[in-house]
Structure formats: structure tokens, C-alpha cells
């Protein structure tokens, strides 16, 4: 892609309405545009990053055997009345009527709808367990939408639902998701810690919030800092291995403020290991047994002819919130650095270009063509901005690698720079190999 062609409305100054880094940067680099309070359009750069995050989330769900489907954003109010949440959910629920006066709503979550789908088609214990998920827009009429994509009214979420025969099997599904979440966040370059949490309006008794540390986070957390050293790579997706991993996490105190008890914290965590700080919730998993299956009459036949309400869990990841959360955790010294797994481009070509001298342009073009031929996603800054202005711009955009052609550039070797890091001088072929090797 040529920078001159990219729809990327960069702003020179930080917009005054944006209070935190991720919101400022997403507006400044033209990733999003607010359309009304808490509702955003995703412009090409932001959309591309969000789609990469979505794909990683999807791959890790598929790896544990979850199946993707797609439910609509608009739901009938009827099933919400059946579960009792139509009244309980309160003002966050956007209620609408169609032209026949039928009560509808814009889904803030999908426990009712998935239960309705499940009960209509699954009748026998033989079809269990099931793990289903979708990645879809949600709407919550938040009281105070703020911090850009972190807390908005309309946001993109992956929500999964598990269906099992009994508590024991259901906990295995819960643990699988727990494992998938840790792997997902790791691939996004984040250290997300599962913290024991209250279940809130979703209900149930077992729940973890996945939190990444950030000063701008809205969740206050209390933990034993040794929990950050747990190495998930030693575990695989076998039930026993995941159970062991869960036990490792359970051994350390880690809670959000609604579960915090001072006496417990001080008793269980030595002073030197205590970590009290703030974090961003990027995912939340719940086990709630028959909380929805019972009122919605979602049962299956057992071998002996008896019926049993299925045991359910639900599992959310804030895909659009993650875009902001990654920025919050990766932005240092006015330089952004997207993890390679979600970077909008793999590499940038940044040449010094002058109107009356085409030589640098031609060299840069040659590099561009070679990289494109090798299917490397590259952004070529073909503008005539001064090199220092280009660097500033790329510090904001945060593409992880740069190939730089200075004004006095000669020879066959190029400056290959890791943003925020080392510079090497390499032949073009070496650059190509390096970039291809970096893919995972
Ligand atoms: P929060 O406590 O932040 O309001 P929640 O507990 O209401 O979150 P869930 O219902 O568990 O959230 O939703 C799953 C995930 O969706 C959250 O972990 C979060 O990443 C994301 N999410 C929830 N509400 C919003 C929102 N208003 N804007 C953006 N992302 C959100
Ligand atoms: Mg909420």
C-alpha cells in the first residue's frame, strides 16, 4: 500500500476530548471516528487491526473445538422475558419496537438467544458437550461511555457458550476456555491474568476476569505478583494439563475490587509480593449451571429417559476493547509498537524523497515490489514530507519494522530498524528473509 493512497486522516494534535493514550492515538492516527456518543466508525487502519485481533481470537476458539456461528444483533424481547432479564437488565438494554409494535432489543449479550437455539434442536445427552461462539456487535447503553473504544455503547465482542450434562463436565469446558483465553492474549502480546470475579448480572458462582495491567484501567486489582511468572507454554489442551495450569493460578491471590477482602490479602500474600494496581478487563468467563436453561426449559433426555437441564457457561472477549488495551500496554516514550501478530502492516519503507531526484524513489519502489511479490504486507511512504516528519508519523502508527533510505543513500545495503529498538544494515535479500522468518 502507498501511504499517499491510504485513507488515514492523521491529526497533528491530540484531540482535546481524549483523556487516555489509546483514545488519543486512535483518533490521531485515523483508526476510528466517533459518530455519536460511545459509537464509532472504524476507519481502514483501525479496522484492519481489529480484524487481525478477531482472527486470533477465532483461531484459539477453534483450537479447543468451539464452533463458530452468527446470531443477529437484534433479538426478540420474548426470550428475555422468559429468563427474567428483560426487567432485571435495566437501562443498559436498548429496547426497540418494530412496525408491528413487537418488542425487540439490541443484544448486549446472547445467553437467552443461544439457549433458545440450543433447546430447539438438541434433545439428547448424546449431543453433549457443545461449545458455540460468535463474534458480533453488542450494544449496551452505558451510563458513562468513555476512553474511546474501551467503554462504548456499541462494541465488538466474541461470546462463547458451553453446554454440558453435569457440573464436572461443565468445569472441563470452563477450563478449556480458560486455557484458550491465556493463549489468545499471549498471541496478542499481552500478559492477561485471570482474577476471581463477581458474576454480576450474568449470574452464577464461578467466574474469572482476564485483566492486563494499565494505569488507565478501570478495574482495581489486588494480587500476588508471582502470578505473572506462570509459564503457560508448559501446558497443552489435555484436560489434566489444563487442570494443573488452573491450579497454578488458583494458588496465588488475584482478585478485582468487588471480591477484595483486606484480611485475606494480608494473610495470604507476603508484603513483598503484594501488588495493588489498576488493570483493563479484556475478557470475562462465567459458569452458571442451569441459571438460563431452567427458566428457558433447555433440557436433554438422559439414557434412562429422565430429563436434565443442561449446564451452561458463557465466555466473553472484548475484541474492539482489545485494540485500545494493546495500545495502553505497548505505548512508550511517544512511540507505538504493535505486536507483529496484529500490526496493520509488517514493515514500512521510509525513503527521503525529493521532487527533482527520482533515484531514491526508484530504489524504494524496487524494494516495495520485491516485498509485495513475497506477500509481505508493506506500507510505502511515497510522500515528499521531510524524513524527520515521516519518522514522527511512523512512531505514532507503530508498524514494527522500517526500511529507511536517507537522503545521501548509496550502495546495496539498507537501514533496517525495529521501531523503538535496534538498527541493522542489511542487504535486501536479508531483509526479506528476516521478515518472512518473523511470521509465526
Ligand atoms: P465491564 O465490567 O468492563 O463493564 P462486563 O463485565 O460488563 O465489563 P462482560 O459482559 O463480561 O463485560 O463482557 C465481556 C467483555 O466485553 C468484557 O471483558 C470487555 O472486554 C468487553 N466489554 C464489556 N462492556 C464493554 C463496553 N461497554 N465497551 C467495550 N467493551 C466492552
Ligand atoms: Mg459492563
Amino acid at each position: 500500500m502507498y501511504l499517499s493512497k491510504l485513507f488515514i486522516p492523521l491529526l497533528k494534535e491530540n484531540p482535546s476530548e481524549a483523556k487516555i493514550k489509546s483514545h488519543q492515538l486512535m483518533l490521531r492516527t485515523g483508526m476510528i471516528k466517533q459518530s455519536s456518543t460511545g459509537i464509532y466508525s472504524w476507519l481502514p487502519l483501525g479496522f484492519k487491526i481489529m480484524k487481525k485481533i478477531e482472527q486470533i481470537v477465532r483461531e484459539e476458539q477453534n483450537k479447543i473445538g468451539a464452533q463458530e456461528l452468527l446470531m443477529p444483533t437484534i433479538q426478540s424481547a420474548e426470550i428475555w422475558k422468559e429468563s427474567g432479564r428483560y426487567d432485571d437488565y435495566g437501562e443498559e438494554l436498548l429496547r426497540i419496537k418494530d412496525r408491528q409494535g413487537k418488542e425487540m432489543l439490541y443484544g448486549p449479550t446472547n445467553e437467552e438467544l443461544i439457549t433458545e437455539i440450543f433447546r430447539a434442536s438438541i434433545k439428547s445427552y448424546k449431543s453433549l458437550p457443545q461449545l458455540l461462539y460468535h463474534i458480533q456487535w453488542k450494544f449496551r447503553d452505558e451510563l458513562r461511555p468513555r476512553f474511546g473504544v474501551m467503554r462504548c455503547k456499541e462494541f465488538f465482542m466474541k461470546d462463547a457458550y458451553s453446554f454440558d450434562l453435569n457440573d464436572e463436565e461443565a468445569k472441563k469446558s470452563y477450563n478449556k476456555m480458560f486455557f484458550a483465553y491465556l493463549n489468545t492474549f499471549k498471541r496478542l502480546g499481552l500478559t492477561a491474568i485471570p482474577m476471581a470475579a463477581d458474576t454480576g448480572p450474568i449470574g452464577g458462582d464461578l467466574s474469572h476476569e482476564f485483566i492486563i495491567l494499565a494505569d488507565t484501567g478501570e478495574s482495581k486489582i489486588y494480587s500476588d505478583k508471582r502470578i505473572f511468572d506462570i509459564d503457560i507454554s508448559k501446558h497443552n489442551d489435555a484436560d489434566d494439563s489444563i487442570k494443573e495450569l488452573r491450579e497454578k493460578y488458583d494458588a496465588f491471590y488475584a482478585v478485582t475490587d468487588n471480591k477484595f477482602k483486606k484480611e485475606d490479602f494480608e494473610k495470604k500474600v507476603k508484603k513483598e509480593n503484594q501488588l495493588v494496581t489498576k488493570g483493563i478487563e479484556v475478557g470475562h468467563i462465567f459458569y452458571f449451571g442451569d441459571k438460563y436453561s431452567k427458566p428457558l426449559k433447555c433440557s436433554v433426555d438422559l439414557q434412562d429417559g429422565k430429563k436434565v437441564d443442561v449446564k451452561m457457561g458463557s465466555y466473553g472477549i472484548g475484541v474492539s476493547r482489545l485494540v485500545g488495551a494493546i495500545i495502553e500496554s505497548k505505548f512508550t516514550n511517544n512511540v507505538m509498537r504493535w505486536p507483529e501478530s496484529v500490526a496493520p502492516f509488517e514493515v514500512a519503507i521510509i525513503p527521503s524523497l525529493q521532487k527533482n531526484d527520482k533515484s531514491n524513489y526508484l530504489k524504494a519502489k524496487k524494494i516495495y515490489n520485491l516485498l509485495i511479490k513475497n506477500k509481505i504486507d508493506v506500507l510505502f511512504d511515497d510522500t515528499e514530507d521531510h524524513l524527520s516528519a515521516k519518522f514522527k508519523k511512523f512512531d505514532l502508527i507503530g508498524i514494527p519494522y522500517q526500511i529507511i533510505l536517507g537522503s545521501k543513500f548509496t550502495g546495496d545495503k539498507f537501514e533496517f530498524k525495529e521501531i523503538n529498538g535496534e538498527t541493522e544494515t542489511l542487504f535486501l535479500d536479508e531483509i526479506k528473509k528476516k521478515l518472512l522468518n518473523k511470521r509465526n
Side-chain angles (χ1 to χ4, degrees), residues 140 142 149-153 155 157 202 209 281-284 286 316-318 320-321:
R140 296 182 186 172
E142 297 274 354
V149 302
M150 294 291 204
R151 181 165 301 284
C152 27
K153 296 190 180 200
F155 59 97
M157 193 218 276
I202 306 258
E209 285 176 5
E281 179 196 320
V282 286
H284 199 166
F286 303 85
I317 289 184
S320 51
R321 178 181 285 184

Side-chain angles (χ1 to χ4, degrees), residues 182 186 191-194 213 223-235 245 248-249 252 272-273 275:
L182 289 170
K186 191 175 174 197
T191 307
I193 300 297
L213 299 188
S223 78
D224 185 323
K225 63 183 176 208
R226 291 173 299 170
I227 201 167
F228 286 85
D229 301 329
I230 296 174
D231 182 4
I232 64 169
S233 67
K234 295 204 169 71
H235 294 264
L245 179 62
K248 282 186 188 169
Y249 277 100
F252 293 112
E272 69 263 29
N273 292 328
L275 179 70

Side-chain angles (χ1 to χ4, degrees), residues 17 130-131 150 152 185 205 228 230 234-235 256 263 270 335 357 396 406 427 429:
E17 75 267 27
Q130 286 287 343
L131 270 178
M150 294 291 204
C152 27
F185 297 125
D205 53 11
F228 286 85
I230 296 174
K234 295 204 169 71
H235 294 264
T256 54
E263 320 80 81
K270 277 194 200 149
V335 182
D357 179 4
L396 287 180
F427 288 113
D429 200 47

Side-chain angles (χ1 to χ4, degrees), residues 24-158:
Q24 290 168 359
L25 278 171
M26 289 182 77
L27 292 171
R28 264 191 86 173
T29 56
M31 289 174 65
I32 50 169
K33 184 182 177 309
Q34 182 171 302
S35 87
S36 61
T37 308
I39 302 180
Y40 290 88
S41 296
W42 289 76
L43 307 186
L45 190 71
F47 190 59
K48 194 170 179 193
I49 294 168
M50 186 169 72
K51 283 281 154 183
K52 288 197 169 182
I53 296 173
E54 177 191 0
Q55 185 54 22
I56 289 175
V57 170
R58 173 178 290 118
E59 285 168 14
E60 294 303 318
Q61 291 293 294
N62 293 346
K63 266 191 208 158
I64 56 160
Q67 297 167 64
E68 186 169 12
L69 48 75
L70 184 61
M71 289 176 267
T73 53
I74 307 290
Q75 305 179 19
S76 158
E78 233 149 83
I79 41 174
W80 283 71
K81 288 182 179 163
E82 273 185 61
S83 75
R85 277 209 293 187
Y86 194 60
D87 295 324
D88 294 350
Y89 214 92
E91 305 231 66
E92 265 189 28
L93 189 61
L94 182 67
R95 295 149 211 263
I96 35 191
K97 277 191 182 148
D98 71 5
R99 63 166 79 192
Q100 272 88 34
K102 193 167 167 331
E103 288 176 296
M104 318 283 280
L105 55 94
Y106 194 128
T109 176
N110 283 56
E111 282 79 11
E112 284 79 0
L113 191 51
I114 195 83
T115 308
E116 204 255 334
I117 292 170
F118 193 91
R119 77 178 175 194
S121 39
I122 302 291
K123 304 288 180 204
S124 161
Y125 72 96
K126 287 185 200 148
S127 307
L128 296 179
Q130 286 287 343
L131 270 178
L132 301 169
Y133 74 99
H134 77 159
I135 307 175
Q136 176 64 290
W137 292 95
K138 305 290 183 298
F139 195 96
R140 296 182 186 172
D141 201 350
E142 297 274 354
L143 182 62
R144 250 173 292 133
R146 57 194 167 142
F147 302 154
V149 302
M150 294 291 204
R151 181 165 301 284
C152 27
K153 296 190 180 200
E154 192 184 41
F155 59 97
F156 202 42
M157 193 218 276
K158 184 282 301 179

